[in-house]
Amino acid sequence: MAQFEQGDALKAEAIVETLPLPAIILSDSFHVIYSNNLAKTFLAEQSDLLIDNNSLVLHSSEDIVSLEATIALKQSKEILIKRKDGGPAWVCHVSPLSQSHEDGELSLLEVLNYVQNKIPSEKMIMEFYNISSAEAKLCVHLLEGLSLKCIANKTNKSELTLRTYLKQIYQKTGFKRQGELISNILITFLR
């Protein structure tokens, strides 16, 4: 991998600043190399992701492990970062960058659902994706950051039934993973 030179840093900062979402360039040790203005605003408004001593801090050890694993994969992937207040999880897209830095390999983290942070309604999801009401309700619960087990308890449906709904959603939408589905719904409705 190429070393992250001063000129590269300026180019990367200029590119990241044009992104329409909060974006942070960070090393594999979570050292923050650069964050755009939207990221600075986002970080100031909530306490689920913080920058302390130029390092990204997450409040959940599960989220730390998830982000570490995603960065180690060196593939673009969506992850969920839980919120302390129990609100909808932050959906983050993590992409490896081709440059390295003295602090290690670099990745770009973007918060996909920050712009409005409003979950689309069941009706909107149902009509846009041409799925059933039950399938759209499942999507809303997933967007709220709930696990299938929690959704099953909340809706008095079995996890098997919910997994069947999820498979039907995948067939109708062409998505193969839950993260893809959630990201697409958020990107579609939060523009």
Side-chain angles (χ1 to χ4, degrees):
M1 262 193 201
Q3 183 67 26
F4 200 69
E5 302 289 335
Q6 181 65 28
D8 294 332
L10 294 174
K11 288 179 206 168
E13 289 173 12
I15 291 168
V16 170
E17 203 56 60
T18 65
L19 295 174
L21 300 167
I24 301 168
I25 297 175
L26 68 153
S27 71
D28 50 11
S29 61
F30 293 9
H31 179 80
V32 175
I33 309 303
Y34 182 77
S35 58
N36 66 8
N37 286 327
L38 278 172
K40 290 172 186 158
T41 301
F42 166 74
L43 292 165
E45 291 176 351
Q46 52 74 49
S47 62
D48 306 304
L49 293 158
L50 303 169
I51 295 179
D52 186 28
N53 292 326
N54 289 329
S55 290
L56 186 67
V57 178
L58 307 173
H59 76 277
S60 160
S61 59
E62 187 179 310
D63 292 339
I64 293 168
V65 169
S66 175
L67 182 56
E68 285 174 338
T70 301
I71 290 172
L73 280 175
K74 297 182 183 174
Q75 296 176 351
S76 294
K77 186 178 174 190
E78 285 80 31
I79 63 168
L80 297 176
I81 296 179
K82 293 182 188 78
R83 293 178 53 173
K84 288 182 194 177
D85 65 5
W90 297 113
V91 180
C92 298
H93 183 83
V94 181
S95 304
L97 297 177
S98 60
Q99 289 90 7
S100 62
H101 186 268
E102 61 191 36
D103 291 330
E105 302 297 320
L106 298 179
S107 295
L108 176 68
L109 180 140
E110 298 171 276
V111 182
L112 300 179
N113 60 333
Y114 169 67
V115 178
Q116 293 175 0
N117 203 24
K118 257 190 177 168
I119 295 175
S121 71
E122 172 193 330
K123 183 178 182 206
M124 291 169 65
I125 294 170
M126 186 173 73
E127 290 174 357
F128 187 84
Y129 291 99
N130 198 25
I131 59 178
S132 73
S133 176
E135 293 163 350
K137 282 180 188 171
L138 174 59
C139 290
V140 169
H141 290 307
L142 291 172
L143 290 166
E144 291 171 342
L146 300 177
S147 68
L148 287 179
K149 185 175 183 175
C150 289
I151 298 168
N153 290 335
K154 185 176 183 174
T155 62
N156 295 319
K157 295 187 191 256
S158 73
E159 281 187 66
L160 183 61
T161 298
L162 297 176
R163 288 190 194 288
T164 300
Y165 290 165
L166 203 49
K167 286 178 187 175
Q168 291 169 340
I169 293 168
Y170 293 158
Q171 288 175 340
K172 292 176 183 178
T173 62
F175 298 116
K176 293 179 175 63
R177 294 188 338 254
Q178 195 171 311
E180 281 181 298
L181 172 67
I182 292 169
S183 294
N184 186 273
I185 292 170
L186 292 171
I187 289 168
T188 299
F189 291 104
L190 297 181
R191 289 185 181 187

